Amino acid sequence: MKPLPRFHTSTLFFTLALLALGLSAPACSSFNPEPDVPEPHEWIALPAEYEADYFFLPMALDGDPDRVLWFLYDTGASYTVVDSDSLQEVSAWEPEQGSGVRFGTLQCGETKFHKVSAKVMSLEHLKQAIGREFDGILAYSAFAEVLLNLDYPNSAIRVAKGHLPRADEQTVFEIHGTNRPYYDATFGSTTRRLLLDSGSGLGFEVHPNRNWDWTIDPIVVGSSMGIDGLQFNFAGRLDAPAHFFGTAYQNPILRVSEDTELVGTEILRDYSLIFDQRAQRLQVLPVAALNPKPIPYRGTGAIFRPTADGMEVIRLVPGSPAEKVGMQIGDKVERSAYLNRDHFEKERSSSQAYIVRRGGKRFQLEVPVVDLIPVPQNG
């Protein structure tokens, strides 16, 4: 999958209120409550849709079921964004790009968000990259007053009143950051503070200007679309384990980027995560089938950018199957389910059929799927 934008400006905040939970004013970063772990029946499930490892929440403007905006919940976002076209469809506002708006109430199931501030932007290019319609991006701090459970294995998002127990660094961990969550991961002998980013479809992403020991040097493996436009993704295989949430990932794939260092849903989707933003704690429950062994990065070697009706080839990995079968830069490729997912696949597909349009012609290319970044021989 393609990563969503990583927001860095902490300027817009809002208060969450739950009618059923009777919550009060926000707390500061020194807040250190006594444990108050909710019982299973005390959790409230939000009416979310889970697609391509992202959670989408329906928000009714002023509680009106005929005026609903769908927000992607992004722990990597420090402020909320609403799409300009979507906003005009459900309101009489005609705000300019980059301006701010403030909603009276947004309601998601039984949950009410009061006085929500948001920045107006066009999200059209992100919709094309993800392959579904949505209307906004909801900031991490939306759930600052409650416990929030992102239960990836069960495709559920829940809220409850309470506090996590103090960190034991086994299942409950201290996290850093007041408006976005960070946690320290160790790669070999190097420790990096990573943003826990539910709005990124990638795995581990780090800065390139570190002395990384590679067993396979980074190569271009894809592209991603963010608020600032298109960027290429580079990835290699680390010649050391990565220690994260108490798990040792053997010779992991690392993406390299000049942007924020993060861990996205390729890793997070193996866990059920409970955030206590006020106490800056996180409870982590791995799935039973968690497998930290290295797996290959598979693909055809064709690098795309999203378009209104599919994808366009913008780069070919030298010597890749896509190049060998005659795919060309500038080819228009009709949208397929395969293209809406990242090429980091656990499935062992042997080939991928692309419907290509070039110079008025339309034809099919069958492209082998290979290990672009293979598993080490000792993996």
Side-chain angles (χ1 to χ4, degrees), residues 62-89:
D62 295 327
D64 185 347
D66 293 325
R67 296 192 297 162
V68 174
L69 296 171
W70 282 86
F71 284 83
L72 183 150
Y73 180 59
D74 184 1
T75 59
S78 59
Y79 59 85
T80 294
V81 172
V82 64
D83 181 75
S84 51
D85 292 337
S86 298
L87 186 59
Q88 291 186 42
E89 290 179 4

Side-chain angles (χ1 to χ4, degrees), residues 269-283:
R269 67 189 178 196
D270 286 333
Y271 300 92
S272 178
L273 306 174
I274 300 177
F275 291 88
D276 185 343
Q277 293 188 35
R278 287 179 291 174
Q280 293 184 243
R281 297 170 188 160
L282 174 67
Q283 186 172 20

Side-chain angles (χ1 to χ4, degrees), residues 6 8 192 205-210 212 231-234 255-262:
R6 298 117 191 205
H8 305 291
R192 304 301 305 156
E205 184 167 294
V206 296
H207 290 161
N209 55 343
R210 304 288 173 186
W212 303 110
Q231 64 181 15
F232 289 109
N233 297 328
F234 292 81
R255 273 76 170 193
V256 292
S257 170
E258 298 288 351
D259 205 353
T260 304
E261 295 187 305
L262 61 82

Side-chain angles (χ1 to χ4, degrees), residues 218-234:
I219 62 172
V220 61
V221 293
S223 67
S224 58
M225 186 69 73
I227 287 292
D228 296 327
L230 187 76
Q231 64 181 15
F232 289 109
N233 297 328
F234 292 81

